[in-house]
């Protein structure tokens, strides 16, 4: 590549950052990093009614949280700004005025009602709704009359007839459009604000964007944009359109399929590295079988050539698996910090735990870390560390306790626990060893009854650590309560 790589992410601030948007941002980010290029972030807010500063903030916050820092753009600065379209209106003016002068665009006085009636008539005939060119060839006198009537025109681009427009898409290959299927389209609305299709061209050209990498939903906009580049004689970037993301039932990913915004995952305690890893594999396939990638490995391996033309399927189970892998590897300190707000909110831990409590919690989380798909789940796993009574026994646990030796093991363990001088792992281990020898049981028959006596279940965190962290009093109380219930 001789031209400097410059790519951009250009969200419309009309809602939160979604999975699809974050993936587009990531592919751009990876492409920039891989080729030593620039990653630019700018805001496309020409849809004045739906754009808000709050959405803008949320999107940028989520991008940062995911670790996609940008080299240039909104808040990062650069010499090709401003980076918010609403602040660039003065830059667009000259370009659309030039198109008007060169008759490559014209003022259109049609009202929304007239346009809708036209579209409806076409739909009825089974044709594609499009603009048929009512204002295309108005005489100067007609225009003057309409202006005098106080009508404010929009500006429409005059689509050249009979042209074949070929998009050489870096992912999809050649995609052909015919200009005759595209009606003259609005480039500036009657309030003077350019439309997306126009502003995006001027922005990409002035910002010297080399590759436009975006979602497939924009592919049908591309021929329109290419016509504008040509009409203004601007250098065209290369295009790459990433396939849609589908839910598991193969319909377009939507709220029905689970959380769609990055913020929702963040709020549940997904780790940013895991989400990034997951997003990278939504449509891009590495050469080998590897699934877990560090960021630098992703940069190393990424190429547009391995981005698939077919849609990607969003698989929540896979995301959960991936996140659980990242959680297991994470520093317990970090998981504790992330877990704390959920535990406080659910009332398990007080707002500002003492250093001792925090230390205890850290040991607890480092145990539970093995079982978490996402950090918020800690709320459902932590109850085992609280309370002096076993509330419930699973059917499998009850089955196990029918074995003759099971009750004996629990009784003996309780007695020995009372005698223990120090509550440390080696001492607890030797208690188990002694009981095993005495009763002639080992393995599961030795450990599982104690687990059931403490938790009512055959599953749960590592037993030795559980005993240690529950503390002597709680262990004795629980075993006592369990024996009462089981023998009663
Ligand atoms: N603002 C558009 C969106 O949020 C992006 C358009 C583009 O990348 O060209 O979908």
């Amino acid at each position: 590549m001789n031209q400097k790589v410059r790519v951009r992410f250009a969200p419309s601030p009309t809602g939160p950052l979604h999975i699809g948007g974050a993936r587009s941002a990531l592919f751009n980010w990876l492409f920039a990093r891989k080729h030593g290029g620039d990653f630019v972030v700018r805001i496309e807010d020409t849809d004045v009614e739906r754009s808000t500063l709050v959405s803008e903030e949320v999107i940028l916050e989520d991008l940062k949280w995911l670790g996609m820092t940008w080299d240039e753009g909104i808040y990062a600065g650069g010499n090709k700004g401003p980076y918010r379209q609403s602040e660039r209106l003065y830059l667009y003016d000259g370009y659309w005025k030039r198109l008007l002068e060169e008759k490559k665009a014209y003022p259109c006085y049609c009202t929304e009602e007239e346009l809708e009636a036209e579209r409806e008539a076409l739909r009825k005939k089974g044709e594609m709704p499009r603009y048929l060119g009512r204002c295309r060839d108005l005489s100067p006198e007609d225009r003057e009359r309409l202006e005098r009537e106080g009508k404010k025109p929009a500006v429409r681009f005059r689509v050249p007839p009979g042209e074949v427009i070929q998009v050489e898409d870096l992912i999809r290959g050649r995609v052909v459009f015919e200009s005759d299927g595209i009606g003259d389209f609005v480039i500036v609305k009657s309030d003077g604000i350019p439309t997306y299709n126009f502003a995006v061209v001027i922005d990409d050209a002035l910002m010297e964007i080399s590759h436009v990498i975006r979602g497939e939903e924009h592919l049908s906009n591309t021929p329109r944009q290419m016509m504008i580049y040509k009409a203004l004689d601007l250098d065209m970037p290369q295009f790459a359109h990433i396939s849609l993301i589908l839910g598991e039932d193969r319909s377009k990913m939507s709220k029905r399929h689970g959380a769609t915004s990055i913020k929702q995952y963040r709020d549940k305690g997904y780790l940013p590295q895991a989400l990034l890893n997951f997003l990278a594999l939504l449509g891009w396939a590495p050469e080998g079988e590897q699934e877990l990638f560090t960021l630098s490995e992703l940069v190393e391996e990424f190429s547009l050539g391995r981005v698939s033309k077919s849609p990607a399927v969003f698989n929540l189970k896979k995301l959960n698996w991936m996140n659980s892998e990242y959680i297991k590897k994470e520093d317990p300190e970090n998981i504790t910090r992330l877990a704390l707000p959920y535990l406080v909110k659910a009332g398990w831990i007080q707002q500002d735990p003492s250093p001792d409590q925090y230390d205890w919690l850290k040991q607890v989380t480092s145990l539970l870390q093995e079982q978490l798909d996402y950090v918020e789940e800690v709320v459902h796993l932590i109850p085992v560390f609280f309370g002096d009574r076993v509330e419930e026994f699973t059917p499998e646990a009850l089955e196990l306790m029918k074995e003759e030796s099971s009750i004996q093991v629990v009784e003996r363990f309780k007695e020995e626990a009372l005698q223990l001088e120090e509550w440390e792992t080696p001492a607890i281990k030797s208690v188990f060893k002694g009981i095993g020898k005495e009763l002639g049981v080992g393995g599961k028959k030795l450990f599982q009854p104690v687990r059931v006596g403490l938790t009512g279940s055959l599953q749960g965190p590592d037993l030795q650590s559980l005993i240690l962290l529950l503390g002597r009093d709680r262990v004795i109380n629980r075993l006592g309560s369990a024996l009462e219930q089981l023998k009663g």
Side-chain angles (χ1 to χ4, degrees):
M1 250 170 270
N2 358 348
Q3 190 191 2
K4 164 127 179 150
V5 166
R6 283 178 53 84
V7 289
R8 78 325 188 257
F9 178 55
S12 305
T14 54
L17 180 63
H18 283 118
I19 296 283
R23 182 194 53 168
S24 296
L26 177 61
F27 284 12
N28 277 287
W29 188 88
L30 290 171
F31 190 75
R33 291 293 167 267
K34 167 119 193 176
H35 297 286
D38 296 331
F39 177 56
V40 181
V41 173
R42 68 163 190 254
I43 300 294
E44 298 205 324
D45 59 350
T46 51
D47 184 345
V48 185
E49 262 138 56
R50 292 173 59 228
S51 298
T52 65
L53 271 177
V54 174
S55 295
E56 180 185 306
E57 257 169 53
V58 172
I59 292 172
L60 297 178
E61 221 14 77
D62 282 345
L63 272 185
K64 278 190 250 168
W65 176 74
L66 284 167
M68 285 185 258
T69 45
W70 54 102
D71 311 294
E72 185 182 318
I74 190 98
Y75 299 119
N79 59 4
K80 295 185 168 57
Y83 292 95
R84 211 184 262 119
Q85 283 180 335
S86 56
E87 293 163 15
R88 296 173 62 80
L89 299 181
Y90 69 97
L91 281 165
Y92 306 127
D93 281 4
Y95 290 95
W96 60 261
K97 285 183 183 151
R98 197 173 115 201
L99 290 177
L100 276 177
E101 265 162 38
E102 293 174 2
K103 309 246 178 314
K104 292 174 178 165
Y106 58 88
C108 167
Y109 300 88
C110 294
T111 62
E112 193 40 55
E113 294 75 46
E114 287 166 333
L115 294 170
E116 184 46 42
E118 179 175 273
R119 286 194 289 261
E120 191 48 40
L122 284 170
R123 259 185 240 121
K124 272 205 184 122
K125 280 201 279 179
E127 286 183 38
M128 270 274 280
R130 63 190 187 283
Y131 185 65
L132 293 179
R134 193 195 318 242
C135 296
R136 204 172 221 243
D137 300 309
L138 289 180
S139 64
E141 295 75 37
D142 284 338
R143 282 187 193 140
E144 244 169 66
R145 179 177 48 78
L146 288 160
E147 302 265 340
R148 247 184 284 126
E149 287 171 15
K151 293 221 166 126
K152 276 214 163 300
V155 179
R156 267 184 203 273
F157 184 77
R158 193 186 295 270
V159 172
E163 284 199 1
V164 171
I165 303 151
Q166 297 189 350
V167 184
E168 304 293 344
D169 191 288
L170 293 173
I171 294 169
R172 329 192 80 74
R174 176 173 301 167
V175 188
V176 179
F177 294 88
E178 288 183 20
S179 70
D180 288 344
I182 303 172
D184 294 350
F185 54 94
V186 173
I187 56 174
V188 185
K189 288 170 279 181
S190 55
D191 58 6
I193 298 187
T195 57
Y196 155 71
N197 269 322
F198 185 72
V200 75
V201 168
I202 308 304
D203 291 348
D204 285 336
L206 293 183
M207 293 181 192
E208 293 171 22
I209 297 301
S210 62
H211 298 76
V212 167
I213 305 170
R214 61 185 170 198
E216 189 187 357
E217 64 273 21
H218 288 293
L219 182 57
S220 61
N221 286 322
T222 305
R224 291 176 175 78
Q225 294 170 16
M226 287 171 70
M227 288 190 274
I228 299 173
Y229 278 104
K230 212 168 139 198
L232 287 168
D233 200 19
L234 296 168
D235 283 342
M236 228 180 275
Q238 287 189 271
F239 292 98
H241 291 90
I242 319 164
S243 295
L244 294 180
I245 301 175
L246 305 182
E248 269 174 283
D249 59 359
R250 307 252 151 194
S251 66
K252 191 166 186 267
M253 168 95 181
S254 74
K255 286 191 185 115
R256 277 185 306 120
H257 301 103
T260 54
S261 76
I262 296 297
K263 179 84 167 66
Q264 284 167 299
Y265 288 98
R266 180 177 175 179
D267 287 348
K268 276 173 163 300
Y270 284 79
L271 301 184
Q273 318 85 287
L275 256 182
L276 270 190
N277 192 154
F278 176 76
L279 290 173
L281 296 179
L282 272 182
W284 169 74
E287 265 174 53
E289 295 293 305
Q290 188 178 345
E291 293 207 281
L292 297 177
F293 290 89
T294 62
L295 215 46
S296 52
E297 283 172 332
L298 283 177
V299 172
E300 177 81 9
E301 298 261 328
F302 185 79
S303 76
L304 285 178
R306 297 196 63 87
V307 173
S308 166
K309 270 193 244 187
S310 31
V313 176
F314 182 91
N315 179 342
L316 184 61
K317 273 205 201 106
K318 182 164 175 183
L319 169 59
N320 282 346
W321 165 76
M322 217 169 241
N323 202 49
S324 75
E325 291 298 312
Y326 278 86
I327 289 181
K328 277 184 205 144
K329 282 188 272 178
E330 190 69 26
D331 183 352
E333 179 71 44
N334 215 2
I335 300 296
T336 310
R337 191 178 48 75
L338 290 173
L340 194 57
Y342 302 112
L343 295 171
V344 170
K345 188 159 171 241
W348 291 108
I349 303 283
Q350 69 192 52
Q351 182 78 44
D352 293 303
S354 69
D356 277 355
Q357 277 172 320
Y358 191 85
D359 199 52
W360 175 83
L361 182 62
K362 204 165 108 185
Q363 294 182 59
V364 168
T365 19
S366 74
L367 264 191
L368 298 184
Q369 207 166 330
E370 293 293 315
Q371 291 165 261
L372 295 173
D373 277 350
Y374 47 92
V375 180
E376 191 186 33
E377 284 185 326
V378 73
V379 169
H380 308 298
L381 296 176
I382 207 157
V384 76
F385 291 93
F386 291 91
D388 285 320
R389 237 183 95 80
V390 178
E391 300 294 344
E392 232 184 313
F393 294 87
T394 64
E396 301 80 44
L398 287 175
E399 198 52 40
L400 177 94
M401 296 315 282
K402 284 190 193 146
E403 297 250 349
E404 215 186 295
S405 60
S406 294
I407 296 283
Q408 285 174 311
V409 168
V410 177
E411 279 174 335
R412 290 289 299 117
F413 190 85
K414 182 170 162 253
E415 284 160 15
E416 291 295 324
L418 268 170
Q419 312 295 327
L420 260 193
E421 279 180 17
E422 42 180 51
W423 201 250
E424 301 288 353
T425 302
I428 296 168
K429 273 198 174 145
S430 74
V431 167
F432 271 118
K433 217 167 158 195
I435 298 174
K437 246 195 199 149
E438 181 189 318
L439 299 178
V441 289
K444 282 197 174 147
K445 285 191 166 184
L446 175 61
F447 296 107
Q448 290 294 60
V450 177
R451 179 187 286 286
V452 172
L454 290 171
T455 66
S457 162
L458 299 180
Q459 275 96 36
D462 171 64
L463 184 61
Q464 304 284 354
S465 318
L466 178 69
I467 292 170
L468 199 67
L469 289 170
L470 281 173
R472 186 204 309 265
D473 290 351
R474 208 154 252 175
V475 164
I476 288 166
N477 292 345
R478 277 204 202 170
L479 294 180
S481 114
L483 283 170
E484 246 172 54
Q485 295 177 68
L486 293 167
K487 292 206 300 196

